[in-house]
Amino acid sequence: MALGAQKLKSRINSIKSTKKITSAMELIANVKLKKQRQKMENNREYAKILKTTVNQIVKRNSNSENVFLKEKEINKKITFVFSSDMGLCGGYNANMIRLANQVIKKEDPMIVIGKKQLSILKSDGFNIINDEISSDNITFSKIKELVNSAIDMYLNNEISGIQALYTEFVNTVTFEPRLETLLPCLEKGEIDENIMVEFEPNEDEILNNLIPMMVQNVMYSILIQSKTSEQASRRLAMENASDNAEELSESLTLKYNQARQAAITQEITEIVGGADAL
């Protein structure tokens, strides 16, 4: 009985030590989440305005033959996949891989931002065309470079479109994997008839400059949103782990106290039994 109590005590101490770690990681993730969320909100509005501007021009020129507006005959898209550099963030990475296996053709080119899932996607047979890239340290300049390479592939008819697979941040407890098409720019939204628009020098030249800029900035906005979702997912995972550790610790403490009480009762019984024998 004493040996069982010792094992329970050792396990309780181990769980309490683990809880200290998960609680610390929860605090760190919460601080990072606040910073990332503010950064996301600041950037998202700019990206939204760019997308709205492009959509307004596209809707007003639905018959345009601009190369960025037409779907190509080939069906081969390049996908930017955003994952984390580290684990312990709940289903953040697993949910994206699940969606990737459902909606992306494995022979199509893929660019993976984030170290954690690179080897898994490779082992799943996806055609990853980049070396390892850290999602924690990547800059706008690098995103711009990668997007420009993809746009060159699009203009050279090597691919039919550019899309991004990422985790959309809904709120601090809800984040959903999503696949978004960035090229070609299809008609979206309604025209505001109250706004008079004149194009100078012409619509095509504006779109040729504006659309690549829009794709670059929206892709960077997607990166920031993905990192916000990652920190929110990690905070939630560590909070759940800490709560589970507390519940398990309480349950084991109860068992430990019961085992300890049973051992004491047995010792008393043996002493009383020995005294009666005398």
Side-chain angles (χ1 to χ4, degrees):
M1 188 66 71
L3 183 60
Q6 288 177 357
K7 287 185 177 180
L8 285 170
K9 186 65 174 177
S10 176
R11 192 174 179 198
I12 290 169
N13 291 335
S14 176
I15 291 170
K16 286 182 176 180
S17 296
T18 301
K19 185 190 173 185
K20 290 180 181 179
I21 296 172
T22 56
S23 296
M25 292 183 69
E26 179 189 347
L27 290 173
I28 293 170
N30 194 46
V31 171
K32 289 183 176 180
L33 172 60
K34 289 180 180 179
K35 291 181 179 179
Q36 278 293 146
R37 190 171 185 181
Q38 184 61 50
K39 187 177 181 181
M40 178 190 72
E41 295 297 341
N42 293 339
N43 183 269
R44 187 157 58 179
E45 189 62 28
Y46 175 64
K48 181 181 178 181
I49 291 172
L50 272 177
K51 290 174 70 175
T52 301
T53 303
V54 170
N55 288 338
Q56 286 290 310
I57 297 174
V58 171
K59 286 292 278 185
R60 292 174 186 275
N61 297 274
S62 56
N63 296 322
S64 172
E65 295 296 323
N66 188 281
V67 66
F68 292 119
L69 308 183
K70 299 299 180 181
E71 295 190 75
K72 298 179 181 290
E73 294 181 0
I74 60 172
N75 184 19
K76 182 181 180 181
K77 295 181 178 180
I78 187 169
T79 306
F80 286 71
V81 177
F82 294 87
S83 68
S84 67
D85 282 350
M86 300 183 295
L88 299 176
C89 48
Y92 173 80
N93 289 311
N95 290 336
M96 284 192 296
I97 287 182
R98 188 179 301 112
L99 181 59
N101 278 286
Q102 293 172 354
V103 300
I104 299 176
K105 295 189 294 183
K106 293 188 175 181
E107 63 271 20
D108 283 2
M110 176 184 286
I111 293 176
V112 179
I113 312 296
K115 301 177 181 179
K116 185 65 180 176
Q117 300 304 317
L118 183 63
S119 60
I120 295 177
L121 289 167
K122 281 184 177 179
S123 64
D124 283 348
F126 286 100
N127 179 24
I128 300 172
I129 62 174
N130 65 289
D131 296 326
E132 185 179 272
I133 300 175
S134 168
S135 61
D136 286 341
N137 301 316
I138 191 170
T139 62
F140 174 74
S141 296
K142 183 62 177 179
I143 287 287
K144 183 178 179 180
E145 176 188 328
L146 293 170
V147 168
N148 286 342
S149 296
I151 291 175
D152 287 341
M153 294 173 67
Y154 178 83
L155 294 175
N156 292 329
N157 293 319
E158 298 175 32
I159 56 173
S160 60
I162 299 175
Q163 56 189 11
L165 194 157
Y166 66 102
T167 302
E168 180 181 16
F169 181 86
V170 181
N171 53 52
T172 54
V173 294
T174 306
F175 7 88
E176 302 171 349
R178 181 183 175 190
L179 183 68
E180 180 174 345
T181 297
L182 301 181
L183 279 184
C185 293
L186 305 178
E187 297 178 15
K188 301 175 185 177
E190 299 295 330
I191 297 176
D192 189 344
E193 299 293 351
N194 295 320
I195 300 177
M196 299 299 295
V197 180
E198 293 184 4
F199 300 102
E200 180 67 32
N202 59 67
E203 298 91 334
D204 272 347
E205 190 166 338
I206 291 173
L207 289 173
N208 286 338
N209 288 279
L210 189 58
I211 288 178
M213 183 192 304
M214 182 271 291
V215 177
Q216 294 162 5
N217 283 274
V218 170
M219 195 71 77
Y220 185 66
S221 178
I222 285 173
L223 165 69
I224 297 174
Q225 186 168 181
S226 295
K227 297 305 294 181
T228 306
S229 298
E230 177 193 338
Q231 297 304 332
S233 183
R234 179 170 287 110
R235 185 205 63 79
L236 184 61
M238 292 302 100
E239 180 184 10
N240 291 336
S242 297
D243 291 344
N244 291 338
E246 180 64 27
E247 291 177 8
L248 185 56
S249 177
E250 290 176 356
S251 175
L252 290 176
T253 298
L254 178 61
K255 289 182 180 180
Y256 169 77
N257 290 335
Q258 290 173 340
R260 186 166 173 267
Q261 185 62 48
I264 293 172
T265 301
Q266 182 179 352
E267 289 177 2
I268 292 173
T269 301
E270 289 174 354
I271 292 171
V272 171
D276 289 343
L278 292 174

